[in-house]
Amino acid sequence: MPTSSKTLRRMIKILLAVVLGVVLFLGADRPAYAELPYTTYSSDTNDVWIRTPNAFVPKAVWGGLNHPEDLFMTSKDELYVADAGNNRIVQLDLEGRIVRTIPESTDQDPKAKLRKPEGVFVTEEGVIYVADTGSRRVAVFDREGKFAKELLAPSSELLPKTFVYAPLKVVVDQRGYIYLVTKGGYQGLLQLAPDGTFAGFYGANKVPTSWLDSLKRKFFTEEQLKEELSRLPGAVTNVTLDAKKFMFTVNKDLKSGQLKRLNFGGVDLLMNHNFAPWVKPLERFSFQDVHVDSHGVMSVVETAEGKIYQYDKYGQLLFLFGATSVGSEQRLGMFKRMTSIVADSNGTLYIADGELNRIQVMKRTHFGELVHQASYLDNQGKYEEARGLWEEIHRLNGMYDRAYLGIAKAMFKAGENEQAMAYFEQAKDKEGYSESYWQVRMNFLLQYFGTAMTVLTIVLIGFILGQKIIRSRKKPGLTDDQSEASAVNLPQRNSRLAFWARMLAEPWKQMLAMLRHPMNGMYDITASTQVRWRFALFFVVLGFVVIIAGKALVSMLFAAQRFETLNLTTEAMKYFLPWISWIVANYLTGSVMRGEGSFGKVFVVNSYALAPYILFILPIQWLSNALTLQEGIFYTAAHYLIIIWVFILIFVGTQNVHNYNLKEAIGMMSVSVVTFLCLWVFGFILIGLVYQATDFVTGFGQEVWLRVR
């Protein structure tokens, strides 16, 4: 018995060891990322955040630096660091080991000494350009690290008197022209010829103007205009070159064009793209640095929130990750003051932190690599090759919209148009959906057009013949006396039903009569005593129901937003508040201008004026499903026609209800519009005052409560 017990215990231990070994083996290549201090996100086509698997995870941290302000990665994966606090440029290998320092500690040339360098650039030939900020110059070293020359402040009459030559960042194009980011940077990049002479400014931003600025130019005094003209454009704060030698600039405090890809003429090839559409109008948002890899992927750092953004070559967000370090908290993946970012040929990121005095290395995960490869193939037009990658990405994260889009493009190219439509709809890509639908519709017409026309012709001929047969066999109807006698003999119950049927049908008859003859129809509605409030109110509510139903029926190509995201309360306020405001404004204006219409009549005629919208908007929304984006002009034109029709009926109704002539009606409508706007302005002011009063009372109450407690 003891022997068997020992054997059993030994077998259990062996089994546990085997299970533990299997678990450790299977999990060996799956590092736990749950402890990371950040979450990775992307965004869909509506700029809604989507959580994704981690695209980058921390790999290493390199210290031994003092305020690293700039990084540069050569095509040979040689990393250069502008170590400003130590007054040197450091070359590192990809393990963080120092290869050399520039200048060497043994270099006795006084011109080789650097003072707080904040920028570094290395040419293909190995020549090193340093933005020696503290010395206000550009220092040039040869490939051996020996001082070659310096570029001091250029002299030119074209330079503004207030210009300060303090280079912060430097790049050199293939012609040998030098481009400098200087302090301020409002004039753009300072461009120097290879010999250091002034060649102009490049890539400057413009001061945004609006219609309000145009009015100010007309009515402001010279002193006021000088104050307005003192506004400065967004400054260029950083610059880099991509593999194709296109220049990318980082621009401060712009609502769009935060990154620009400039050609030789200084034109932004990214078309002033907004890289941060989620930023609210009054918020400030600026990037710090950008790196562009050989596939066009832009990696950007934003210091305030400690975030790293990655975009594809067209400016579409791939990933967002990173976190800011608060207080003394220091964890991998957290930053305090990111100053620069570069990537090596394997996609590994190197981020300099000027306050923590270190470089963090972040390696790309399997998911991040899949997205990068698929995006690159997509941008090259190799949709079929990218399809397998997108399907794997979709398997890993079903909410990643770009996967739907990539699969849809591959299906469309393969001729799978109906399936492509479904995926384009999931990706919310209207252009792709429209092109796929056009192909589906064309194939359907080519296949069934002949049959459909034959059936239609037969039906039309049958209808005409049927009408002739019915007319030939039609019996004479009853005389008027017989009809009246029949009506008298109807049971009492049928008479009541007929009465209610006439009551319910009468408003609709008046509405149809108004559409056929607006002037006469509106006059009859105004003069009629049978038109009641409940019918008018019913039409107003029906108008709202039609709006909501139309949003459900309309094609995704013309939908302003997805139906499932609608907020009924918001939609009701957007519909009923302007409507009630207009009724009040119209009635008040009519009362002041001696109009004869009562509030009830004003309400009724404006309610009946909604008839075109109530009757025709749903068919138009439904028929939009048969149109492509290129045919959207018909949908838009139909909408505008209905709106114009409604406004005409409102005008005619106002003229009739207040008994105005044409001139008086035009004046009254103009004043009503002004009254309507005044009501809304007053409403906004009142809401603001109530909010401030509530906030004050709440804050005061909380303060009193804290003191009493």
Side-chain angles (χ1 to χ4, degrees):
M1 188 72 179
T3 305
S4 61
S5 177
K6 289 181 180 180
T7 304
L8 181 61
R9 285 198 296 268
R10 188 180 298 116
M11 291 178 64
I12 292 174
K13 290 180 180 179
I14 293 172
L15 181 62
L16 289 174
V18 170
V19 171
L20 181 61
V22 171
V23 171
L24 291 175
F25 175 76
L26 292 176
D29 61 342
R30 297 183 182 182
Y33 300 144
E35 297 300 322
L36 292 178
Y38 59 82
T39 303
T40 303
Y41 292 94
S42 185
S43 66
D44 63 14
T45 52
N46 293 325
D47 299 319
V48 176
W49 296 116
I50 300 171
R51 185 169 179 173
T52 71
N54 289 313
F56 287 86
V57 293
K59 177 183 177 182
V61 176
W62 302 339
L65 303 170
N66 187 3
H67 293 90
E69 294 295 331
D70 195 24
L71 303 176
F72 184 85
M73 183 73 71
T74 69
S75 58
K76 300 176 183 178
D77 284 345
E78 300 166 333
L79 179 61
Y80 288 81
V81 185
D83 192 10
N86 289 322
N87 300 317
R88 63 180 182 172
I89 302 297
V90 182
Q91 181 185 346
L92 303 174
D93 63 17
L94 297 188
E95 298 299 323
R97 295 184 292 262
I98 295 179
V99 177
R100 60 174 174 168
T101 60
I102 300 168
E104 295 285 352
S105 57
T106 57
D107 195 334
Q108 299 301 315
D109 188 347
K111 290 189 176 181
K113 302 299 180 182
L114 301 176
R115 289 179 54 203
K116 299 187 182 304
E118 295 190 18
V120 59
F121 181 88
V122 183
T123 66
E124 293 293 333
E125 295 77 21
V127 179
I128 304 163
Y129 288 77
V130 180
D132 192 10
T133 309
S135 300
R136 295 195 175 188
R137 64 170 185 165
V138 175
V140 184
F141 297 83
D142 63 21
R143 62 186 306 162
E144 303 300 328
K146 301 298 182 182
F147 177 79
K149 63 179 179 178
E150 63 181 0
L151 303 175
L152 300 175
S155 59
S156 173
E157 295 179 354
L158 300 176
L159 284 170
K161 294 181 180 180
T162 57
F163 177 75
V164 177
Y165 183 74
L168 298 175
K169 309 296 176 187
V170 56
V171 296
V172 182
D173 67 14
Q174 60 267 41
R175 303 171 300 164
Y177 276 74
I178 302 112
Y179 298 82
L180 302 176
V181 174
T182 58
K183 284 191 175 180
Y186 298 108
Q187 296 92 350
L189 297 172
L190 177 66
Q191 186 179 15
L192 302 178
D195 60 358
T197 57
F198 176 70
F201 288 103
Y202 175 81
N205 297 305
K206 297 179 180 179
V207 177
T209 57
S210 63
W211 61 270
L212 187 60
D213 296 315
S214 301
L215 288 177
K216 289 177 180 179
R217 290 192 185 96
K218 290 183 179 181
F219 299 107
F220 274 24
T221 62
E222 291 186 6
E223 290 76 12
Q224 290 173 322
L225 278 177
K226 286 180 180 178
E227 293 180 2
E228 288 292 316
L229 293 174
S230 64
R231 291 187 304 163
L232 297 173
V236 178
T237 58
N238 218 319
V239 62
T240 192
L241 291 178
D242 67 0
K244 297 180 180 179
K245 305 306 177 185
F246 283 101
M247 199 164 297
F248 286 75
T249 59
V250 178
N251 305 285
K252 184 179 180 181
D253 295 337
L254 295 183
K255 301 302 180 185
S256 60
Q258 298 92 342
L259 298 176
K260 292 184 177 180
R261 184 189 188 203
L262 305 176
N263 62 12
F264 287 115
V267 177
D268 179 19
L269 300 180
L270 294 174
M271 307 296 291
N272 201 40
H273 180 73
N274 184 5
F275 286 84
W278 54 86
V279 176
K280 297 178 181 178
L282 298 180
E283 293 179 348
R284 290 182 174 271
F285 180 88
S286 297
F287 293 126
Q288 177 66 28
D289 190 23
V290 59
H291 174 83
V292 186
D293 68 13
S294 58
H295 293 166
V297 174
M298 295 173 274
S299 301
V300 196
V301 292
E302 188 268 322
T303 300
E305 298 293 332
K307 300 295 185 184
I308 301 168
Y309 297 79
Q310 277 204 330
Y311 300 90
D312 68 9
K313 65 184 295 184
Y314 299 111
Q316 302 303 313
L317 183 67
L318 297 177
F319 299 113
L320 161 65
F321 56 96
T324 185
S325 178
V326 180
S328 60
E329 183 181 15
Q330 295 185 22
R331 295 174 60 189
L332 293 177
M334 300 183 73
F335 307 90
K336 277 205 170 181
R337 186 175 68 87
M338 291 186 287
T339 56
S340 188
I341 184 171
V342 292
D344 62 22
S345 56
N346 294 319
T348 302
L349 298 179
Y350 302 81
I351 303 102
D353 193 314
E355 187 165 337
L356 296 178
N357 300 320
R358 64 189 188 185
I359 295 174
Q360 283 203 49
V361 184
M362 306 192 77
K363 68 176 181 178
R364 192 165 55 185
T365 64
H366 176 61
F367 183 79
E369 189 171 351
L370 283 174
V371 172
H372 281 192
Q373 290 177 355
S375 298
Y376 173 69
L377 292 173
D378 239 23
N379 293 334
Q380 296 294 313
K382 301 176 181 178
Y383 305 125
E384 292 163 329
E385 295 181 34
R387 181 171 179 173
L389 297 174
W390 287 124
E391 288 174 346
E392 175 65 12
I393 292 167
H394 178 258
R395 187 186 66 81
L396 294 173
N397 185 8
M399 295 181 63
Y400 198 69
D401 273 10
R402 291 179 65 90
Y404 287 106
L405 184 59
I407 296 171
K409 289 179 179 178
M411 287 179 169
F412 178 72
K413 191 169 184 179
E416 303 170 20
N417 296 307
E418 292 186 12
Q419 297 91 326
M421 280 177 60
Y423 275 90
F424 276 125
E425 186 173 8
Q426 286 289 335
K428 309 175 192 69
D429 185 282
K430 294 185 177 182
E431 291 186 4
Y433 182 90
S434 177
E435 291 179 7
S436 299
Y437 172 69
W438 189 89
Q439 291 290 344
V440 171
R441 189 181 65 181
M442 180 59 67
N443 293 337
F444 178 84
L445 291 176
L446 290 174
Q447 185 175 359
Y448 297 107
F449 181 76
T451 304
M453 291 304 297
T454 302
V455 171
L456 183 61
T457 303
I458 293 172
V459 170
L460 185 60
I461 294 173
F463 177 77
I464 295 172
L465 292 176
Q467 287 290 320
K468 290 183 178 181
I469 293 171
I470 291 171
R471 288 173 185 171
S472 64
R473 295 183 178 181
K474 188 175 181 181
K475 296 180 180 180
L478 296 173
T479 63
D480 293 341
D481 294 338
Q482 290 172 327
S483 299
E484 290 177 5
S486 299
V488 170
N489 293 328
L490 283 174
Q492 187 70 18
R493 182 179 177 184
N494 289 345
S495 298
R496 289 178 180 176
L497 289 175
F499 171 77
W500 283 108
R502 286 196 301 271
M503 287 290 293
L504 293 175
E506 187 63 27
W508 293 99
K509 288 181 179 179
Q510 289 179 324
M511 178 182 285
L512 295 175
M514 176 198 65
L515 293 177
R516 289 195 299 268
H517 304 288
M519 290 296 295
N520 295 335
M522 276 296 183
Y523 177 80
D524 292 340
I525 292 171
T526 304
S528 175
T529 57
Q530 296 181 357
V531 179
R532 303 184 181 182
W533 269 69
R534 59 174 175 265
F535 293 121
L537 184 60
F538 169 74
F539 288 142
V540 175
V541 174
L542 183 60
F544 175 69
V545 173
V546 165
I547 286 178
I548 300 302
K551 291 180 182 291
L553 285 177
V554 69
S555 168
M556 70 156 288
L557 299 178
F558 308 107
Q561 66 181 113
R562 302 186 70 174
F563 182 74
E564 56 268 24
T565 64
L566 283 181
N567 186 312
L568 282 179
T569 303
T570 303
E571 295 297 321
M573 292 178 66
K574 286 163 59 178
Y575 176 80
F576 288 107
L577 285 181
W579 177 253
I580 294 171
S581 302
W582 169 252
I583 299 299
V584 172
N586 191 282
Y587 170 70
L588 292 177
T589 305
S591 300
V592 173
M593 299 181 69
R594 299 180 181 179
E596 298 179 5
S598 64
F599 184 83
K601 290 292 185 181
V602 170
F603 182 86
V604 167
V605 296
N606 281 277
S607 301
Y608 272 77
L610 293 174
Y613 202 90
I614 294 172
L615 294 177
F616 300 114
I617 198 64
L618 281 182
I620 290 173
Q621 301 285 56
W622 180 68
L623 289 173
S624 69
N625 291 279
L627 302 176
T628 64
L629 277 179
Q630 290 75 14
E631 298 152 356
I633 183 65
F634 300 109
Y635 173 80
T636 305
H639 259 278
Y640 279 123
L641 285 174
I642 289 177
I643 292 171
I644 293 171
W645 197 354
V646 169
F647 281 136
I648 290 174
L649 291 177
I650 289 175
F651 177 81
V652 172
T654 299
Q655 184 180 4
N656 277 277
V657 78
H658 291 295
N659 197 19
Y660 287 145
N661 58 35
L662 181 61
K663 183 178 179 180
E664 291 172 336
I666 293 174
M668 188 269 183
M669 288 291 290
S670 302
V671 177
S672 295
V673 171
V674 175
T675 306
F676 173 82
L677 295 175
C678 290
L679 286 175
W680 275 83
V681 171
F682 175 76
F684 279 121
I685 294 174
L686 182 62
I687 291 172
L689 292 174
V690 170
Y691 175 79
Q692 290 183 355
T694 305
D695 186 59
F696 171 76
V697 172
T698 303
F700 182 76
Q702 290 176 347
E703 183 70 22
V704 171
W705 172 253
L706 290 174
R707 291 180 180 275
V708 171
R709 192 176 63 174

